[in-house]
Amino acid sequence: GYKSPNEKLNFAAIGSGGQGSSNLMAAAPTENIVALCDVDEVRAARIYEQFPKAPKYRDFRQMLDKEGRNIDAVIVATPDHTH
């Protein structure tokens, strides 16, 4: 159904490439994507192209420092060795 802009959550994603892009599209297809972060810009290129207006970061700490006020929720998808 239709959501007014006031009802939408502002999502950010850490680990936007690979599994992160799938998680983002599954959890937030009708929400606002306000920031994306991935250390591998090549792997994240596809999701970056889907959200050209969202700022892109390589360091999640910088993303949270700069965009924190605009973020309602964060999707985190990192490799197994960082869990």
Side-chain angles (χ1 to χ4, degrees), residues 29-44:
T30 61
E31 309 302 330
N32 296 322
I33 309 304
V34 297
L36 299 169
C37 179
D38 201 299
V39 296
D40 188 345
E41 294 172 344
V42 174
R43 187 166 178 89

Side-chain angles (χ1 to χ4, degrees), residues 40-60:
D40 188 345
E41 294 172 344
V42 174
R43 187 166 178 89
R46 193 180 80 202
I47 198 75
Y48 284 1
E49 289 172 5
Q50 288 183 308
F51 300 100
K53 293 181 181 179
K56 283 74 171 174
Y57 296 90
R58 292 192 66 177
D59 187 327
F60 73 92

